[in-house]
Amino acid sequence: MIQTVINDLLNIEYPLIQGGMAWVADASLASAVSNAGGLGVVAAGYASTDWIREEIRKTRKLTRNPFALNIMLLNPEAEKIGQVAIEEGIKVIITGAGSPGKYISAWKDCGIKVIPVIPSASIARRMEAVGADAVIAEGGEAGGHIGELNTMALIPQVADAVNIPVIAAGGIGDGRGIAAALMLGAVGVQLGTRFLVAHECTISRAYKETILQAKDTSTMVTGRATGHPVRIIKNQLAREFQRLEKTNALPEEYEELGKGSFYRAVREGDMEMGSIMAGQIAGLVRKEQSCREIIAEIFEEAEKIIIEKAYCFKKDKILR
Ligand code: TUI
C-alpha cells in the first residue's frame, strides 16, 4: 500500500484526490471516488448555490467516506458558496483559479481543511502563510485553467518551498505518473482527465468518445491573451478563440464565445462549439472503467514499478 501523510490528513485509503471539474464533478462521480478510497470532489464551478447544496446532500447519501467541495475563485459567488459549504458541514474545501486568502480564516474557524490548487512556488508559500493545510501543485499539462509551469519542474520546487504536504496534478493519468509524482516530492496526486471516462462520470457520451479517441497532441491552450489560459481539446471553438487572439479582440468577444461553453460540451455533447476541457494525458485514456477499477489499477501499477525499479538498481540489472 502506498500510504502518505495525505491518507491521515484526509482520512482516506489512497492518497488520491479527484479533480474538481466544473459541471463534471457531481454527486455521482464524487461519491464513486470516495467509495473507492480516494477523496471525491464536488465542483461548484459556476453552478447555482441550490445545485451545489443539492449535490453535497446527494453525495452524503451515496457515501459515508470523506469528500470535498471545489470552489473556483473566479466565480463572483465564491463567498456565498463558501457559506453553503459551512452550512452543509463540508470538511475539506479545495480552491482553484485564485487565492482563498480572504476566506481562509472563516473556513478554518469552522474546522474546514483548506487545500488550494496553485501554479507556482511563490503562490504555494503564500498559501502556507495564510494557513493552507496542503497545496495541490498543478502543472500546465492539466485541463482547464492552467499556470505557466509544467509538472516536472513545478513539483520539486513547490516541495522545497513549503513545509505543508504537496499533492501533484497535471499530466498524471496512470501508475507511472503517480510513481513519478512521488519521486518529485509529492505525497499525493490529483487526477481529472482519467475520471472523465469513469462509468460513474455523467458527462455526455460524445465527450467520453472524444477523450477515448484523443491523442497526445489533441489539446491546445486558448485564452493566453486574456490572462486566463485554458487547456481544451482542439475543435471549432478552440480555433475561433485562436482567431480572436490573433486579431487582439476585446474581452467581451472572448466572453461571448466562451459563455456557457463548458456546459455545452459536458451536458449537451456539443463537440464543436463546447469547451472540451481535458489534460494532455487524454491520449493515454483508452478504456472506460469504474472509479474503483481505475484507482485500484493505478496504485497497483505505481507500487509495482517503484518496487521493480528499486530491485533492478539494487541488483545491478539493466532496465529495459
Ligand atoms: O482552476 C483550475 N481549473 C479550471 S478553473 C476553470 S473555469 C474558468 N473560467 C473562466 C476562465 C478560466 C477558467 C476551468 N478550469 N485549476 C486550478 C488552478 N488554479 N490552476 C491555476 C490556478 C491558480 C492560478 C492563480 C491558482 C492560484 C492563483 O493565484 C493567483 C494569486 O494571485 O494568488
Side-chain angles (χ1 to χ4, degrees):
M1 280 293 278
I2 294 176
Q3 299 260 11
T4 74
V5 293
I6 294 299
N7 299 64
D8 291 337
L9 179 71
L10 300 174
N11 195 21
I12 52 181
E13 197 186 332
Y14 295 97
L16 173 137
I17 300 177
Q18 165 233 317
M21 302 166 284
W23 296 121
V24 174
D26 58 6
S28 172
L29 184 62
S31 62
V33 170
S34 289
N35 283 332
L39 187 74
V41 178
V42 171
Y46 282 109
S48 71
T49 47
D50 284 349
W51 183 90
I52 296 161
R53 201 184 290 280
E54 195 55 34
E55 291 307 302
I56 293 170
R57 291 184 180 177
K58 276 195 224 161
T59 309
R60 189 156 285 128
K61 282 207 184 106
L62 294 166
T63 184
R64 291 165 173 270
N65 293 346
F67 64 93
L69 181 70
N70 181 293
I71 303 182
M72 208 279 291
L73 297 169
L74 285 170
N75 185 342
E77 304 277 292
E79 185 165 5
K80 261 199 215 154
I81 297 169
Q83 205 49 48
V84 171
I86 292 169
E87 288 163 18
E88 295 299 320
I90 285 289
K91 299 284 191 294
V92 181
I93 291 180
I94 296 171
T95 63
S99 170
K102 59 180 171 176
Y103 315 115
I104 210 165
S105 66
W107 294 346
K108 296 211 62 156
D109 286 349
C110 297
I112 297 173
K113 293 194 172 99
V114 182
I115 308 183
V117 177
I118 53 90
S120 72
S122 55
I123 295 177
R125 238 184 261 116
R126 254 196 355 250
M127 295 303 124
E128 179 176 41
V130 297
D133 293 278
V135 287
I136 300 174
E138 185 180 85
E141 299 92 327
H145 180 55
I146 54 169
E148 281 293 332
L149 289 160
N150 289 339
T151 303
M152 189 83 151
L154 176 67
I155 305 304
Q157 296 189 75
V158 172
D160 284 352
V162 296
N163 292 309
I164 50 177
V166 177
I167 296 148
I172 305 171
D174 63 13
R176 293 169 296 183
I178 296 173
L182 297 173
M183 298 299 133
L184 293 173
V187 286
V189 291
Q190 178 185 268
L191 272 68
T193 303
R194 177 85 188 241
F195 288 114
L196 287 173
V197 300
H199 295 318
E200 300 90 344
C201 180
T202 60
I203 63 175
S204 62
R205 187 68 231 157
Y207 201 137
K208 289 191 179 184
E209 290 297 338
T210 300
I211 299 302
L212 290 167
Q213 277 151 35
K215 52 182 184 167
D216 54 353
T217 55
S218 292
T219 70
M220 65 180 280
V221 178
T222 64
R224 285 204 198 277
T226 64
H228 292 306
V230 173
R231 182 176 298 287
I232 58 176
I233 296 273
K234 292 172 186 167
N235 65 356
Q236 191 186 331
L237 178 79
R239 284 187 290 275
E240 287 190 23
F241 270 125
Q242 208 170 26
R243 188 176 52 78
L244 287 185
E245 277 171 54
K246 283 195 184 125
T247 56
N248 287 323
L250 296 167
E252 301 82 71
E253 294 180 71
Y254 287 96
E255 227 165 87
E256 191 51 40
L257 192 59
K259 213 165 39 187
S261 64
F262 313 157
Y263 189 86
R264 281 201 294 277
V266 172
R267 297 284 157 218
E268 295 170 1
D270 183 347
M271 294 296 102
E272 279 315 316
M273 289 308 286
S275 281
I276 315 168
M277 295 205 193
Q280 289 182 330
I281 208 71
L284 69 67
V285 178
R286 282 290 162 268
K287 56 180 188 277
E288 296 179 63
Q289 291 168 296
S290 67
C291 290
R292 195 175 288 282
E293 285 165 344
I294 293 172
I295 295 174
E297 179 182 300
I298 64 183
F299 275 92
E300 198 177 305
E301 185 191 0
E303 201 171 303
K304 194 163 157 241
I305 61 179
I306 292 169
I307 292 167
E308 272 177 8
K309 288 190 183 182
Y311 175 84
C312 281
F313 296 135
K314 203 169 165 193
K315 297 285 176 193
D316 289 331
K317 289 191 183 297
I318 305 290
L319 265 190
R320 284 172 205 289

